[in-house]
Amino acid sequence: MNSITDILNNFLAIFVFIPLLAFIATLVWKNRQEKPIALIVQATKAIYITVAIAYCVAWIINGAVPVSYRLATLYQTEHFVFAIQFYYDHVTAVYSIVGATLFFLVSTFSRYYMHRDEGFKRFFNTILFFALGYNLIIFSGNFETLFIGWETIGLSSFLLIAFYRNRYLPVKNGFKVISIYRLSDIAIILAMWMMHHLTHQNISFTELGNAKLTAESTQQGGMALFITIMIVLAAIAKSAQWPFTSWLPRAMEGPTSSSAIFYGSLSVHIGVFLLLRTYPFWSDMISVKIAIIVIGALTGIISTLIARVQSTVKTQIAYSSAAQIGIIFIEVALGLHVLALIHFAGNAFLRTYQLLVSPSVLNYLVHHQYFHYHPAASKVVSKLRAAMYILSIKEWNMDGFLYRYMWAPFKWIGARLNFLEKSAGKLLIGILAIAIAYPLIAKPAFLQSVLPAMPLVALIFALLLILYSFSSRSSAITAWQYLLAAHFFIITGIIANAAHVDTAQIVMYGSGVLLAAGLGYACLLRIYKIDRDVSLNKFHGYVYEEKNTALLFLLSAIGLLGFPITAAFIGIDVFFTHIGSGQTALIILVALCFLFIELAAIRIYCRIFLGLHKKLYHAVAFRSS
């Protein structure tokens, strides 16, 4: 038995390395070489499903004892440890086998479905990238590892929704979805932040029960409730529960096979996984359970009503899937975890099948309706039924509600800052930067009284600059420069707030941000030299002519916001620990900053490189997809 335990421990990381190596391997092939790309993907999935089943069998033979394995420690201080840690139990077993099976089926289907598509290689690269993120989440042993996969899934979702990048709606809806995903990212970050203050260490998922006991023994119920609210918020946003349900049908703009694997089966059920994994922490919080049940019930009822009247098959399937996930949320809250896992597997396979066959079914139904159409007999409809019908056709105005109350106020603030486009505005920001940095460096006696207010002032300026970039319709270069300036104010604010910040932490954060900002600036300058136009007032579609530049700018955009490709990812995580648990205003400002930094950077990428190309000698798609 000991030998089996050692094998299970040592081979746990293989589930992450399989898609990672395949992703790297497919990058070296040209797009026209479809056969080797498809063979690599299918071989990878065949190996993956074999290993997943074999590992599960060995785990059961060994007594089905949970397996925990720490792969590496990336950064460590006296009170902070950033480690890549994996964990395997019955929840992981179900998610890994279901995921492996669906990955194999969808990759086999996509080999023929995507044949001769211009983005054949790009599609499979993104699918493998998604597989990497999915495995990082379901095999994660701590919040840090889970968060890496959480952000990876978010980015791959955006890339596949906006796969047809020369069209307006895929790009628009891709940005809409990633804005909701970013909200869930920030919720996870805040949960990690408060958990660190509760336990004074970085804990693994196996220690969540002890963290709950710590909260009870130290009378820190408020901290525990905040952590749970953030976890639930991240779960409902990621799994398209009310009031975020409307993003799910928008995500169907990508290829049908990607819709099947993402929004019919695996990605949309990640919120359920998060609730299952963190259940030991909030299992005795009755108010949280009631809230989850209410949200799940509302989602189930509203989504069912919407699905019954929609005219597009993908929208029907999307809302039907969201309704079933709402029921799964209820099952998790009631402690029926085995039933929830069975329900997850059944819903995932059903929705994948429905989406994959939907083109064929539509073709048959259109043909049948053409030759056998019989108009429905008119009948009297009650006012209640008519009202429910209109509400459901309009999808209960969830899109408009989210835009009006979540995004519009911040866009309004950013639009009031148009004076920053002018030279006087840039000069003002430079003076403010010097005025804030001077007291921290020189520490003059006559300014000591204002130092306690410096963190709030610096972060307010950072948020204002980010909101300007988020809503700007003028130069992309100016908007990009202000995003870099915002990072300076964030760093300054954190340093002013903390008693001591290690130089290594500042270097990690600053080096990653500067590298990403410099690369992005160089890409924008290259585009500017083409026809002196990088305005954010329209889509330019430069990916037609500058594919490599578009890729480099995307890397710089995600690097600027702290995606795990530079040291800034660890630096940002460490910087959050320098904000006290009672500093409400400060943590709200920091959270808003990191929420809108991603949206502003991705918006610049979308406007400059994606969408309809403005030059007439390129093919131009209609607004509607």
Side-chain angles (χ1 to χ4, degrees):
M1 289 297 179
N2 291 332
S3 60
I4 297 179
T5 302
D6 293 338
I7 292 173
L8 292 175
N9 287 330
N10 295 330
F11 278 85
L12 191 56
I14 195 173
F15 292 99
V16 172
F17 287 122
I18 288 174
L20 176 61
L21 294 175
F23 172 74
I24 296 172
T26 54
L27 289 176
V28 304
W29 299 100
K30 295 180 180 180
N31 190 50
R32 291 175 295 177
Q33 297 175 316
E34 292 186 2
K35 188 174 181 179
I37 295 173
L39 286 176
I40 290 175
V41 174
Q42 284 190 275
T44 300
K45 298 310 176 186
I47 295 172
Y48 177 33
I49 192 172
T50 303
V51 172
I53 295 173
Y55 192 96
C56 183
V57 171
W59 176 71
I60 293 173
I61 292 174
N62 198 43
V65 179
V67 180
S68 182
Y69 176 70
R70 175 174 290 192
L71 178 65
T73 300
L74 301 182
Y75 182 73
Q76 184 172 357
T77 64
E78 184 178 354
H79 301 291
F80 182 86
V81 178
F82 194 106
I84 303 298
Q85 186 170 343
F86 300 120
Y87 183 69
Y88 190 94
D89 64 351
H90 66 286
V91 178
T92 308
V94 173
Y95 268 80
S96 64
I97 292 176
V98 171
T101 306
L102 291 176
F103 271 124
F104 180 77
L105 294 175
V106 170
S107 62
T108 304
F109 176 88
S110 301
R111 177 179 181 178
Y112 305 99
Y113 183 78
M114 300 298 296
H115 176 52
R116 291 193 176 181
D117 192 288
E118 182 186 3
F120 185 89
K121 173 185 173 180
R122 179 161 49 92
F123 174 83
F124 282 107
N125 284 154
T126 312
I127 286 291
L128 289 170
F129 190 57
F130 167 72
L132 172 63
Y134 178 78
N135 283 359
L136 279 170
I137 290 177
I138 66 172
F139 287 94
S140 59
N142 56 16
F143 279 109
E144 288 76 22
T145 308
L146 181 140
F147 186 66
I148 296 175
W150 201 267
E151 286 208 318
T152 302
I153 280 187
L155 178 60
S156 58
S157 294
F158 165 74
L159 294 175
L160 280 175
I161 297 167
F163 181 79
Y164 299 112
R165 51 195 182 185
N166 62 324
R167 300 176 182 174
Y168 173 77
L169 280 180
V171 177
K172 177 184 177 182
N173 288 335
F175 183 74
K176 183 179 293 185
V177 171
I178 203 172
S179 65
I180 302 299
Y181 273 15
R182 186 56 177 173
L183 182 65
S184 72
D185 294 345
I186 296 300
I188 290 290
I189 292 176
L190 292 177
M192 293 163 58
W193 164 74
M194 188 59 83
M195 185 68 78
H196 183 272
H197 284 293
L198 175 64
T199 62
H200 303 290
Q201 59 180 325
N202 298 71
I203 66 170
S204 63
F205 289 138
T206 57
E207 299 171 311
L208 284 176
N210 296 333
K212 180 181 67 176
L213 295 176
T214 300
E216 293 173 352
S217 62
T218 58
Q219 297 183 345
Q220 297 292 347
M223 282 187 176
L225 181 61
F226 177 85
I227 293 168
T228 305
I229 291 173
M230 291 299 104
I231 289 172
V232 173
L233 176 60
I236 64 175
K238 205 76 165 183
S239 287
Q241 297 299 284
W242 187 86
F244 305 106
T245 315
S246 60
W247 72 255
L248 189 56
R250 310 294 173 264
M252 298 292 183
E253 287 288 350
T256 297
S257 50
S258 68
S259 298
I261 196 72
F262 271 72
Y263 314 111
S265 56
L266 300 182
S267 178
V268 78
H269 287 92
I270 287 298
V272 176
F273 174 84
L274 179 63
L275 292 182
L276 288 169
R277 181 58 75 226
T278 58
Y279 184 79
F281 185 78
W282 53 270
S283 59
D284 58 348
M285 297 184 183
I286 304 301
S287 58
V288 173
K289 289 186 173 183
I290 293 173
I292 294 174
I293 291 171
V294 170
I295 291 171
L298 278 174
T299 306
I301 294 169
I302 293 174
S303 297
T304 300
L305 292 173
I306 296 174
R308 289 173 65 88
V309 300
Q310 293 300 306
S311 58
T312 59
V313 64
K314 277 190 172 184
T315 306
Q316 293 175 4
I317 296 172
Y319 278 111
S320 298
S321 182
Q324 292 299 313
I325 294 171
I327 298 173
I328 299 175
F329 268 52
I330 296 174
E331 294 165 355
V332 174
L334 294 176
L336 305 174
H337 294 176
V338 175
L339 178 60
L341 289 172
I342 295 172
H343 199 163
F344 150 67
N347 190 51
F349 280 110
L350 175 62
R351 304 309 171 191
T352 301
Y353 168 77
Q354 288 179 329
L355 283 166
L356 291 182
V357 303
S358 59
S360 301
V361 172
L362 280 177
N363 182 61
Y364 170 77
L365 290 178
V366 169
H367 182 271
H368 182 270
Q369 185 183 45
Y370 183 80
F371 290 102
H372 304 89
Y373 176 70
H374 299 287
S378 60
K379 59 181 180 180
V380 178
V381 179
S382 66
K383 291 183 178 180
L384 177 61
R385 287 178 63 89
M388 297 303 293
Y389 178 82
I390 295 299
L391 269 177
S392 300
I393 281 289
K394 293 184 176 182
E395 302 179 41
W396 288 64
N397 292 319
M398 285 185 285
D399 264 347
F401 175 84
L402 289 177
Y403 178 80
R404 183 174 182 178
Y405 296 105
M406 186 180 295
W407 309 119
F410 295 104
K411 295 193 76 172
W412 182 86
I413 294 172
R416 306 279 82 78
L417 301 172
N418 288 335
F419 67 91
L420 294 175
E421 301 169 8
K422 302 177 181 179
S423 300
K426 297 178 182 179
L427 178 62
L428 175 62
I429 295 302
I431 294 173
L432 289 174
I434 295 173
I436 289 177
Y438 173 73
L440 296 178
I441 298 173
K443 297 182 178 179
F446 67 93
L447 289 178
Q448 292 303 306
S449 59
V450 302
L451 282 179
M454 295 296 288
L456 278 176
V457 173
L459 287 166
I460 288 172
F461 285 144
L463 180 59
L464 291 177
L465 294 180
I466 294 167
L467 292 180
Y468 163 76
S469 298
F470 174 64
S471 60
S472 173
R473 289 187 172 272
S474 58
S475 171
I477 294 176
T478 302
W480 188 258
Q481 290 170 341
Y482 279 131
L483 286 181
L484 176 60
H487 275 290
F488 168 80
F489 283 106
I490 292 173
I491 294 173
T492 305
I494 297 298
I495 293 174
N497 182 67
H500 174 70
V501 179
D502 290 340
T503 304
Q505 298 173 8
I506 301 173
V507 170
M508 280 193 301
Y509 188 126
S511 62
V513 168
L514 285 174
L515 176 63
L519 178 60
Y521 187 72
C523 293
L524 290 176
L525 284 181
R526 179 178 177 84
I527 297 301
Y528 180 75
K529 291 178 181 178
I530 295 177
D531 58 3
R532 304 287 177 177
D533 182 16
V534 286
S535 169
L536 293 173
N537 197 39
K538 59 185 177 182
F539 289 98
H540 295 266
Y542 277 114
V543 74
Y544 283 95
E545 300 173 346
E546 297 288 338
K547 287 184 173 61
N548 293 331
T549 306
L551 175 60
L552 290 175
F553 187 81
L554 176 62
L555 293 175
S556 65
I558 62 178
L560 192 70
L561 56 92
F563 192 78
I565 57 174
T566 68
F569 175 73
I570 301 177
I572 290 172
D573 198 21
V574 176
F575 263 38
F576 265 88
T577 64
H578 293 297
I579 303 173
S581 59
Q583 295 180 298
T584 306
L586 205 62
I587 194 61
I588 290 175
L589 287 171
V590 172
L592 289 174
C593 284
F594 284 107
L595 170 63
F596 285 100
I597 279 178
E598 174 168 3
L599 301 186
I602 295 297
R603 177 175 174 268
I604 294 173
Y605 168 72
C606 291
R607 293 271 172 167
I608 301 300
F609 293 99
L610 306 184
L612 310 173
H613 200 282
K614 60 186 179 182
K615 296 182 180 178
L616 296 180
Y617 54 77
H618 290 297
V620 177
F622 293 106
R623 266 180 83 89
S624 173
S625 61

